[in-house]
Amino acid sequence: MQGFVDFIQAFLDLGATVILPVVIFLLGLFFGQKPGKAFRSGLTIGVAFVGIFLVIDLLVDNLGPAAQGMVENLGVSLNVIDVGWPATSSIAWASVVAAFIIPLGLIVNVIMLLTKTTKTMNVDIWNFWHYTFMAAMVYAISDSIVQGLIAAVIFQIVCLKVADWTVPMVSEFYELPGVSLATGSTISYSPGIFLVKLLQKIPGVKNWNADPETIQKRFGIFGESIFIGLFLGALIGALAGYGVGDIIEIGMAMAAVMVLMPKMVKILMEGLMPVSESAREWLNKRFGDKEIYIGLDAAVALGHPAVISTALILVPITVLLAVILPGNTVLPFGDLATIPFIVAFIVGAARGNIVHSVIAGTIMIAISLYIATDVAPIFTQMAENASFDMPEGSAKISSIDQGGNIVNWVIFKIFSLFN
């Protein structure tokens, strides 16, 4: 069993830049593409994800130290450290249930496609770690592999159904036809869609609008995404207490993120569209007019400037929330750079309205901090079982991404009733 787990971990360690091209190539062959064309599609998508993750690394490498600077400036002292998704995923894969998740997840997805209970064919295997964490949490309280796997399946079904539901928005707003987003962290913030709809009905508030197009019309070239990135990056640097040189540096980095990310997403779609079209033709021949969506990492939604703008504004707001929310014990840190992922649906529902996105995002992050606080004891227990090196000076750990995941928390609480 341990050998199989090690093999799975080694495969996942290759990352999306290797896993996705292989999966897309095999899918292309399955749906009748010629080997050369299928290989080119897989290779193009791999290149696109290399570019996307390089840009994300640029975002993370600059936001991480800036967030730490803001925390130090505020003199915050909270005893639960947000260790971020990389540490969370490694804790998840260390569980004894990990070996079952990928094959089980693929089987569940195929069954749902055949029974027409989903239209999403989720090729984002790399992000199955969210299902694994769900299973590991339930296993930690029940000592039952079966219960853990049932919890993971429930979590996966919710992710696929929400992915189906949000396809029209992903297609129209993000201009990603035939794509769905089933990433666990993004799904968790889908209730924010209802908050946006509420804001759009409140007199006065519904007229508060600041989307990238409106900003550009009002401020001319200084309203372009490249200048917005420069300004917001410099503002975060100033809040972190940086010197002038470092403020300019982080401003340039965020300007680069704004410009480069949309270009990487365009390359991704160049590789994905041939496979998507082949899948549609294959299904039409065998099952009539059946639509199918390719489930991808929510990173593809980061190409819209409103997503990055909203996320950058929410970084200092999240740190402030941690300080002022009564009962919160989580110190935001590791997952501050994942905020673009978790607000993707909120921004899409708001049609790029940054004001509404920030308001809804603030409420959702506040809820997430409370959830992350609540699960900190079991999160810490799982980390200790996985021989995870605890951050210096921390009594407990958690994360905004999966520790503060609403869907994960609800399922966990249901299973807690029986254990």
Side-chain angles (χ1 to χ4, degrees), residues 139-307:
Y139 176 77
I141 60 168
S142 67
D143 202 30
S144 168
I145 292 177
V146 173
Q147 286 192 47
L149 296 180
I150 292 172
V153 169
I154 294 172
F155 188 92
Q156 179 183 6
I157 291 171
V158 173
C159 287
L160 291 173
K161 298 302 289 185
V162 174
D164 289 343
W165 172 53
T166 52
V167 159
M169 175 255 288
V170 172
S171 177
E172 295 168 17
F173 179 73
Y174 288 110
E175 299 181 351
L176 298 170
V179 171
S180 65
L181 308 179
T183 307
S185 50
T186 305
I187 295 297
S188 174
Y189 279 70
S190 58
I193 294 174
F194 300 105
L195 288 175
V196 169
K197 292 184 182 298
L198 177 62
L199 291 170
Q200 291 171 340
K201 293 179 180 178
I202 298 175
V205 176
K206 67 180 181 181
N207 298 323
W208 297 350
N209 187 27
D211 58 58
E213 291 77 17
T214 303
I215 293 172
Q216 186 169 348
K217 286 179 182 178
R218 180 168 296 182
F219 296 100
I221 61 170
F222 293 104
E224 294 179 10
S225 60
I226 187 172
F227 288 103
I228 294 173
L230 177 68
F231 171 74
L232 291 177
L235 178 62
I236 288 175
L239 291 174
Y242 284 180
V244 175
D246 290 333
I247 288 175
I248 295 173
E249 186 176 343
I250 191 173
M252 286 299 298
M254 294 307 103
V257 169
M258 288 287 206
V259 173
L260 295 176
M261 188 63 82
K263 297 184 185 302
M264 296 304 105
V265 174
K266 286 182 179 178
I267 297 173
L268 174 80
M269 292 308 297
E270 179 187 331
L272 184 65
M273 289 311 295
V275 178
S276 181
E277 188 59 36
S278 297
R280 196 167 289 110
E281 291 175 1
W282 187 89
L283 289 165
N284 286 342
K285 287 179 182 177
R286 289 160 178 80
F287 304 104
D289 189 18
K290 180 177 172 60
E291 197 169 17
I292 191 167
Y293 313 126
I294 307 296
L296 293 179
D297 191 315
V300 300
L302 271 59
H304 199 287
V307 174

Side-chain angles (χ1 to χ4, degrees), residues 328-413:
N328 171 65
T329 59
V330 174
L331 178 64
F333 180 63
D335 273 332
L336 285 172
T338 66
I339 291 178
F341 293 84
I342 58 184
V343 299
F345 283 164
I346 293 174
V347 175
R351 308 296 298 174
N353 186 330
I354 297 171
V355 176
H356 289 171
S357 298
V358 168
I359 294 172
T362 299
I363 296 171
M364 293 302 299
I365 288 174
I367 295 171
S368 181
L369 286 170
Y370 279 125
I371 292 174
T373 296
D374 183 62
V375 303
I378 191 69
F379 198 116
T380 305
Q381 178 189 325
M382 290 164 59
E384 291 171 348
N385 292 341
S387 301
F388 177 76
D389 291 330
M390 297 286 285
E392 186 177 346
S394 63
K396 297 175 184 176
I397 61 171
S398 191
S399 74
I400 294 175
D401 183 327
Q402 196 66 9
N405 188 300
I406 295 174
V407 178
N408 182 90
W409 182 76
V410 170
I411 297 171
F412 174 70
K413 285 299 182 181

